[in-house]
Amino acid sequence: MMLGTRNGLPFKPTHSWGGVHNFYNHWKYRAKLASNTNDISMGDPVNADFNNDGDIDHTGIITEFTNGHFFLTQHTTDRKDAPLSTWYSNGYKVYAWKMSTAKRTPND
């Protein structure tokens, strides 16, 4: 599957990047979304829709909370403890999953 080009070259996403929307679909039936950043905890996964088109583009994990700010660690452009606020300031649609509410199955 090729999704387009990057830097003028054909671009095919990595398996982890290509499967991020499946990750989102899995959790939407098993956990609750944080209603605001006050509900986020360490270890919670966060999805981003970069284009606001309903297709989830990326996932990071909350790995740091310092001075009232959350930071996430992510792959693709490897980053450790990057500010979550950057996703909001870039206008991304952000979905933070509260793992404390996760169910074993969708019917739990």
Side-chain angles (χ1 to χ4, degrees):
M1 168 174 64
M2 185 160 6
L3 295 180
T5 61
R6 182 181 283 166
N7 299 323
L9 300 171
F11 173 68
K12 181 177 179 182
T14 64
H15 178 70
S16 59
W17 185 87
V20 72
H21 195 82
N22 293 332
F23 179 94
Y24 166 83
N25 283 333
H26 174 82
W27 287 113
K28 76 179 180 181
Y29 295 109
R30 286 185 164 79
K32 293 181 181 175
L33 286 170
S35 57
N36 58 57
T37 55
N38 293 330
D39 290 339
I40 299 172
S41 299
M42 294 285 286
D44 286 347
V46 183
N47 293 128
D49 176 358
F50 295 152
N51 304 309
N52 292 301
D53 61 2
D55 189 28
I56 304 303
D57 300 298
H58 202 65
T59 299
I61 304 295
I62 299 297
T63 53
E64 181 71 38
F65 180 74
T66 304
N67 297 325
H69 299 280
F70 286 98
F71 298 84
L72 50 87
T73 296
Q74 61 188 10
H75 174 58
T76 304
T77 301
D78 291 342
R79 295 189 183 178
K80 183 175 188 302
D81 300 331
L84 175 61
S85 60
T86 301
W87 285 12
Y88 287 104
S89 65
N90 285 337
Y92 303 157
K93 178 72 175 168
V94 177
Y95 302 89
W97 299 100
K98 293 172 45 174
M99 289 293 91
S100 63
T101 67
K103 302 174 186 178
R104 291 179 189 256
T105 70
N107 299 323
D108 283 348

